[in-house]
C-alpha cells in the first residue's frame, strides 16, 4: 500500500536513497522532530535493483581531487561504523602506477596525510617490485614506479550491505515500498517560501500506484537521473566555463557502460603470502599489453584494472575502465538494467583485456582465461559534464543526488544530505553544487585512464 502523503519522499532504494533515509529518520528522532515515519522510500523494482546491486563494492580514498578525498574519508568512517551490518571488509587498497602518474600519486599521498588518512607511499621501480613481492610471491607487473597503499578502505559485499542498510532504515522508523514507478511530478507556486528557488516547488510525485504529496523529494536514482532531471524541467545541456575562459554548452548526462567480471577460481587461490585476504589491487600501466593466449598486442596505450578475491562472488572479481556509450543520453535505454540488458553486458574484448592484464600482474593467472565466468555482467552509469557528482537542491524542495557513478562507495553522502534537508548546509558537499559548471569551478583531473580519477 502506497501512502498518499509523506513529509520526505526518497526515490530510489540504492546506496544513496537508503543511506539518506536511515540518517534522516535517525536525525528526526534524535532531534525530537518525529519518529522516523515521516520518511518514505519508493523504488520501481526492489532494494538494490540498480547500480548499487551490480557494484564491484570497492571502497577507496584514492582520488586526485581534494574534495572527493575528504568526502570519501567521511564515507569510510560510515563503513567502519558497522562492518558486520554492511558486510564490509577493511582490507585496504593498493594502487600501483607507472611513472606518468608518479606526481599525481605522490600528491594524493601527501594530501591523505594532511587529513589523517593512513596510507603508505613507495617510490622507485625496485622498491615497488620488492613491496609487492612481500605481498605476493608471484607478482610480476613491469614498469610500476610508485605505489600508494591505503591502510583503510577495502570492499563490501554489495547485496548484503544493502540488506543491512534496509534493516537500519526500517529500524529508524522509515518505510520502504517497492514496485512503484514514478511517472511525473506536480508543482505548486511557492512564492511565499524562503527557499532558494523562486520556481514552483514539487508538491507531489505521480506514480503508477497513485499520487504522493510531499514536502521534500529526494532523487537518488543512479543511472535513471536523466529521467528525474527531465521531470524537474531542468536543462539537458549546461554551460561549462573551461579553464581557458571559454564557455561551452555540453550535455548534462553521458552514459558509460561498466566493465566488470569474475575469474571463476576459488577465492582462496588469491590470498597474500601470509594466507590472508589481500588489499584490493588497482594497477595502472603504460607497458604494452599483449594477449595472454596468442601474444597479439591488445593496446599500447595506458590501461588499468582492479581486482580482489571475493567469497560473495565466488572468485576473483574486478574490472577495467568503463566504455563510453557513443550516442546522446536521451537515446540510451537504461531499462532493462544491468545483466538483463543484452546491449550493455561486457563482451569478449573486456574478457581478453582483463584476463591478460591479470596474467601480466600475477604468474598464477597465466593461461586461466578458460575459467572466466561467462555469465552476464555490467551495467550503465550516468556521468556528469566533469564526471564528478552533483549534490544540490532544485526548485526549493527537490534534492538531487547525482553520483556520476562514484555511488556505492559513498555511503556517507546520505548522512550529509540528511543534515542539508534539515537546514544545515554541509561543507563537504559544497564543491559538488551544480553552479560550479557555469562558474568554472571544476575538479582537477589526473593522468589515470579512468574517467572518475
Amino acid at each position: 500500500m502506497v501512502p498518499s502523503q509523506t513529509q520526505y519522499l526518497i526515490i530510489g532504494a540504492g546506496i544513496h536513497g537508503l543511506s539518506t533515509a536511515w540518517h534522516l529518520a535517525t536525525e528526526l528522532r534524535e532531534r525530537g522532530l518525529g519518529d522516523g515515519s515521516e520518511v518514505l522510500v519508493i523504488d520501481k523494482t526492489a532494494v538494490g535493483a540498480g547500480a548499487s546491486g551490480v557494484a564491484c563494492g570497492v571502497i577507496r580514498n584514492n582520488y586526485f581531487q581534494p574534495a572527493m578525498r575528504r568526502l570519501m574519508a567521511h564515507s569510510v568512517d560510515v563503513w567502519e561504523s558497522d562492518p558486520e551490518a554492511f558486510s564490509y571488509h577493511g582490507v585496504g587498497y593498493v594502487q600501483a602506477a607507472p611513472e606518468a602518474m608518479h606526481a599525481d600519486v605522490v600528491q594524493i599521498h601527501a594530501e591523505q596525510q594532511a587529513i589523517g588518512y593512513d596510507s603508505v607511499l613507495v617510490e622507485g621501480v625496485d622498491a615497488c617490485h620488492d613491496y609487492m613481492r612481500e605481498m605476493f610471491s608471484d607478482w610480476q607487473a613491469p614498469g610500476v614506479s610508485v605505489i600508494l597503499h591505503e591502510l583503510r578502505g577495502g570492499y563490501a559485499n554489495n547485496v548484503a550491505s544493502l540488506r543491512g542498510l534496509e534493516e537500519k532504515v526500517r529500524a529508524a522508523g522509515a518505510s520502504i515500498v517497492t514496485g512503484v514507478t514514478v511517472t511525473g511530478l506536480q508543482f505548486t507556486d511557492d512564492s511565499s517560501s524562503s527557499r532558494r528557488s523562486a520556481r514552483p516547488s514539487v508538491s507531489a510525485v505521480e506514480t503508477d500506484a497513485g499520487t504522493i504529496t510531499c514536502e521534500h523529494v529526494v532523487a537518488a536514482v543512479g543511472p535513471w537521473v536523466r529521467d528525474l532531471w527531465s521531470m524537474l524541467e531542468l536543462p539537458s545541456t549546461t554551460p561549462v566555463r573551461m579553464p581557458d575562459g571559454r564557455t561551452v554548452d555540453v550535455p548534462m548526462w553521458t552514459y558509460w557502460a561498466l566493465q566488470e567480471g569474475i575469474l571463476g577460481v576459488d577465492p582462496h587461490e588469491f590470498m597474500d603470502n601470509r594466507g590472508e585476504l589481500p588489499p584490493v589491487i588497482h594497477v595502472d600501466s603504460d607497458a604494452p599489453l599483449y594477449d595472454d593466449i596468442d601474444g597479439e598486442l591488445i593496446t599500447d596505450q595506458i590501461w588499468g584494472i582492479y581486482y580482489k578475491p571475493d567469497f560473495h562472488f565466488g572468485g576473483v572479481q574486478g574490472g577495467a575502465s568503463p566504455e563510453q556509450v557513443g550516442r546522446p543520453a536521451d537515446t540510451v535505454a537504461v531499462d532493462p538494467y544491468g545483466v538483463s540488458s543484452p546491449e550493455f553486458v561486457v563482451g569478449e574484448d573486456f574478457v581478453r583485456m582483463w584476463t591478460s592484464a591479470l596474467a601480466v600482474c600475477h604468474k598464477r593467472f597465466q593461461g586461466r582465461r578458460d575459467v572466466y565466468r561467462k555469465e552476464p555482467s555490467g551495467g550503465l552509469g550516468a556521468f556528469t559534464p566533469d564526471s564528478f557528482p552533483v549534490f544540490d537542491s532544485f526548485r526549493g524542495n527537490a534534492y538531487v543526488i547525482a553520483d556520476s557513478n562514484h555511488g556505492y562507495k559513498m555511503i556517507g553522502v546520505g548522512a550529509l544530505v540528511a543534515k542539508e534537508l534539515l537546514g544545515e548546509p554541509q561543507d563537504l558537499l559544497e564543491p559538488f553544487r551544480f553552479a560550479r559548471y557555469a562558474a568554472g569551478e571544476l575538479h582537477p583531473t589526473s593522468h589515470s585512464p579512468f574517467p572518475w580519477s
Side-chain angles (χ1 to χ4, degrees):
M1 185 72 177
V2 180
S4 61
Q5 62 181 17
T6 189
Q7 188 173 357
Y8 297 94
L9 179 59
I10 298 173
I11 306 170
I15 199 82
H16 293 310
L18 295 178
S19 180
T20 301
W22 165 40
H23 286 101
L24 180 57
T26 301
E27 291 271 1
L28 290 169
R29 293 164 69 98
E30 291 179 349
R31 298 179 187 213
L33 299 175
D35 60 7
S37 63
E38 301 81 7
V39 181
L40 170 63
V41 181
I42 60 173
D43 193 283
K44 70 186 184 67
T45 307
V47 170
S52 297
V54 301
C56 179
V58 172
I59 295 151
R60 62 182 172 89
N61 190 284
N62 190 270
Y63 278 99
F64 185 67
Q65 301 73 27
M68 289 294 294
R69 197 175 308 117
R70 291 191 295 270
L71 185 57
M72 275 312 307
H74 166 75
S75 284
V76 172
D77 287 343
V78 176
W79 283 110
E80 293 175 344
S81 70
D82 196 342
E84 184 175 357
F86 298 140
S87 194
Y88 169 67
H89 306 276
V91 295
Y93 181 92
V94 167
Q95 180 188 21
E99 188 59 31
M101 296 175 60
H102 196 133
D104 292 349
V105 176
V106 169
Q107 181 176 329
I108 293 170
H109 174 258
E111 294 179 3
Q112 284 182 346
Q113 304 316 295
I115 63 172
Y117 196 85
D118 293 338
S119 60
V120 174
L121 179 70
V122 183
E123 298 180 86
V125 172
D126 291 341
C128 289
H129 182 76
D130 291 345
Y131 190 86
M132 294 305 292
R133 286 296 289 264
E134 282 263 336
M135 197 177 301
F136 303 110
S137 60
D138 68 334
W139 176 260
Q140 56 186 18
V144 172
S145 72
V146 61
I147 288 171
L148 181 62
H149 184 175
E150 299 179 14
L151 304 181
R152 299 173 66 190
Y155 71 98
N157 298 328
N158 56 355
V159 175
S161 63
L162 292 170
R163 283 199 300 264
L165 261 182
E166 179 182 5
E167 291 175 5
K168 288 183 179 292
V169 170
R170 297 190 190 278
S175 299
I176 303 170
V177 180
T178 58
V180 178
T181 300
V182 173
T183 58
L185 304 176
Q186 295 179 7
F187 302 98
T188 184
D189 187 0
D190 201 5
S191 59
S192 63
S193 171
S194 61
R195 299 184 181 112
R196 287 193 297 163
S197 175
R199 300 179 68 189
S201 58
V202 176
S203 60
V205 174
E206 299 171 350
T207 79
D208 60 357
T211 298
I212 308 170
T213 60
C214 55
E215 295 180 28
H216 301 270
V217 62
V218 178
V221 295
W224 290 270
V225 65
R226 168 201 64 188
D227 303 329
L228 266 294
W229 189 263
S230 177
M231 290 179 190
L232 286 165
E233 299 178 358
L234 297 171
S236 60
T237 62
T238 188
V240 178
R241 186 178 180 187
M242 310 302 287
D244 62 6
R246 294 178 301 120
T247 296
V248 180
D249 203 40
V250 301
M252 187 63 210
W253 310 109
T254 301
Y255 281 98
W256 292 65
L258 311 182
Q259 304 291 298
E260 295 180 340
I262 302 169
L263 196 68
V265 299
D266 184 335
H268 286 103
E269 289 189 33
F270 189 46
M271 297 292 107
D272 65 16
N273 290 344
R274 303 167 300 170
E276 298 178 2
L277 279 170
V280 176
I281 305 297
H282 177 142
V283 180
D284 291 319
S285 178
D286 55 9
L289 179 63
Y290 294 93
D291 190 296
D292 179 48
I293 305 301
D294 61 25
E296 291 187 0
L297 178 68
I298 294 176
T299 182
D300 57 4
Q301 304 298 309
I302 191 167
W303 53 267
I305 64 167
Y306 51 91
Y307 52 99
K308 58 180 170 42
D310 195 313
F311 289 87
H312 177 72
F313 285 105
V316 172
Q317 196 265 359
S321 183
E323 294 185 353
Q324 189 168 350
V325 178
R327 58 180 186 272
D330 61 358
T331 69
V332 175
V334 182
D335 288 308
Y337 187 75
V339 298
S340 299
S341 170
E343 184 177 8
F344 297 118
V345 296
V346 300
E348 286 300 320
D349 286 348
F350 164 76
V351 177
R352 181 173 179 245
M353 178 270 174
W354 189 65
T355 57
S356 295
L358 284 175
V360 164
C361 296
H362 297 271
K363 188 176 181 63
R364 74 188 77 183
F365 294 133
Q366 289 179 345
R368 303 303 301 276
R369 184 177 302 163
D370 61 319
V371 297
Y372 178 86
R373 192 170 300 161
K374 294 190 175 181
E375 58 189 34
S377 64
L380 280 177
F383 285 66
T384 63
D386 60 355
S387 296
F388 292 103
V390 170
F391 307 123
D392 211 345
S393 292
F394 300 88
R395 291 186 167 275
N397 70 338
Y399 200 104
V400 174
I401 300 175
D403 61 31
S404 197
N405 213 66
H406 297 267
Y408 178 83
K409 66 180 75 69
M410 303 173 77
I411 193 173
V413 166
L416 303 172
V417 170
K419 291 183 182 296
E420 295 210 320
L421 291 169
L422 294 173
E424 298 179 8
Q426 298 296 298
D427 289 342
L428 289 177
L429 299 183
E430 202 58 40
F432 301 98
R433 307 305 188 198
F434 177 66
R436 74 178 185 268
Y437 296 122
E441 297 172 353
L442 306 179
H443 296 280
T445 56
S446 74
H447 293 88
S448 168
F450 289 78
W452 48 55
S453 298

